[in-house]
Amino acid sequence: MRLLSLFVSTLVLSMLPSFVWAFDDDREINDPDFDKEAFLDIKSYQFSKLRDWEWDETLNGFRLQEGSLNLDFSYLVIEGRVRQPITERITVSYRGKQEQFYAIKPIRQEAEAQLRVWGNWHIALFGFPTYDKRVGDFGTALIWGQPPWNYVRVARIQQEILYNDKNFENDEYIEEPVEDQIEGAYASDRLKVRFQGTISHPAEQFFPDDQLTFEHQSEESSWEIRYRFPKDQWFGWKARSFDIFKSRASPVSEEAEDNQRQTLQFISSDFYWVLPNLDQFTLTTGLQYDVFRNRLRDSQDTNNSFDYRFETLQAYATLLHPWDETLDLEYGVYAGDVTEARNRLTESVDDKFGRQIEAKARFSAEWHSIKGNARLLVVTSWNLDDLADTPWDGGGVSIMMSF
């Protein structure tokens, strides 16, 4: 009950967009421009709920999800985890993750050494060393329980902790990035809960050669709650959000990007129902809402200032069809109400607004080992709203393995 109470408190805090901040090492001003079916594409390329749940319980493994968003860009997620006890009290681990769907993002990596100090309580040192000592990270964590279930981990990490001391350039941090992390999971016979969030102080970096000041704040949180009904049916809610603020300010630079600030916001909420025992088939249906906002302000040219919003409300259904002991087929349909708007802050530039219905179908084949510890997923997607002119709508290849 104490663990469940802590989760509820964390969930409430994670819903307040101004309280959770984190530094993701992206110093660029981003201006994504999505294709209309982008969020339907991303949904169709992802592993099924059953495979996601397998990954939640994987302590040693790797997975990659990739799919085409258009002629120039791909949806890409790379994750790796390694965890190994050394003695009864000492455990070492590694985890890394990179996700790209609107901009190029650096990979986040952490190596950890953990010590059990008493009962179910552990302390840990973690971070990631680098050849260039300026950009190494160092953190400490307090952990109750152990993954994959019934644990809470609270941590603080100082990013680029030696940057000012070791820097051989002229730039320096005025406010160094410090990030707090919380994650955990709870499992009973019927209820399963998983949550994650990051908290840090704002970062400020000054580049004297260009008289440039870079500021950054960001928020990210995610959680999943699912409940098992009779006959192993699951109803769940999976949500994720981030809120990123970035500013580049220079009184002497002529680059437009160096006189801009922006706020990027993303919310994704997925309500789903999984029915796994339909003559060996597994049916998953759901309703998902995604919205991405970009509020950009240009201090030198107001014509470049705008509010951008891209949102999709989609209904989906997938059917997992076991074909033989090493092959599963999956069929899916996705239909979404898509809205895209770019509102300029000056009347000299026209606003843009569009709304339409997008629909697509998915056919995928998943080859897997007999033990189920290695999987290869090949996805093809098709335009249901324009089958006559452009039936093919891209595809993707993903892999997942545990060891």
Side-chain angles (χ1 to χ4, degrees), residues 199-331:
I199 304 170
S200 81
H201 302 283
E204 182 178 341
Q205 193 172 7
F206 180 65
F207 300 84
D209 290 345
D210 298 319
Q211 292 294 295
L212 173 67
T213 299
F214 170 75
E215 297 179 71
H216 180 282
Q217 300 179 32
S218 68
E219 168 273 333
E220 184 167 358
S221 61
S222 63
W223 58 89
E224 183 173 17
I225 306 171
R226 52 187 168 103
Y227 183 82
R228 183 171 64 86
F229 290 93
K231 299 183 180 180
D232 287 331
Q233 300 180 26
W234 290 91
F235 179 78
W237 175 39
K238 186 174 184 178
R240 176 193 172 190
S241 67
F242 62 70
D243 191 322
I244 301 171
F245 170 80
K246 287 185 284 188
S247 172
R248 297 172 62 92
S250 171
V252 299
S253 176
E254 297 181 357
E255 296 291 333
E257 185 185 45
D258 290 341
N259 294 281
Q260 294 177 341
R261 66 184 189 275
Q262 71 175 168
T263 300
L264 299 171
Q265 296 175 322
F266 176 65
I267 297 174
S268 179
S269 185
D270 179 16
F271 291 92
Y272 60 84
W273 187 23
V274 179
L275 298 87
N277 295 316
L278 303 175
D279 267 344
Q280 298 183 341
F281 293 84
T282 298
L283 174 66
T284 302
T285 62
L287 187 67
Q288 180 164 322
Y289 174 72
D290 299 282
V291 57
F292 186 98
R293 296 186 179 93
N294 180 15
R295 297 183 173 94
L296 188 142
R297 301 293 183 265
D298 192 311
S299 61
Q300 291 190 343
D301 186 356
T302 56
N303 289 329
N304 291 331
S305 299
F306 58 82
D307 290 339
Y308 174 81
R309 176 172 55 91
F310 180 77
E311 63 180 317
T312 302
L313 176 63
Q314 64 174 300
Y316 65 90
T318 62
L319 187 68
L320 187 64
H321 176 193
W323 188 260
D324 59 35
E325 63 180 3
T326 60
L327 175 64
D328 293 339
L329 302 179
E330 190 171 17
Y331 322 100

Side-chain angles (χ1 to χ4, degrees), residues 301-306 343-351:
D301 186 356
T302 56
N303 289 329
N304 291 331
S305 299
F306 58 82
N343 299 319
R344 298 286 180 173
L345 302 188
T346 175
E347 295 182 356
S348 60
V349 183
D350 293 335
D351 295 338

Side-chain angles (χ1 to χ4, degrees), residues 379-395:
V379 178
T380 61
S381 60
W382 305 84
N383 269 322
L384 293 181
D385 52 89
D386 195 12
L387 277 175
D389 295 330
T390 56
W392 169 253
D393 194 38

Side-chain angles (χ1 to χ4, degrees), residues 141-161:
L142 177 64
I143 306 156
W144 182 88
Q146 290 288 272
W149 294 108
N150 297 322
Y151 78 99
V152 174
R153 179 181 185 270
V154 179
R156 166 165 287 195
I157 183 169
Q158 295 177 281
Q159 298 174 295
E160 303 184 0
I161 185 173

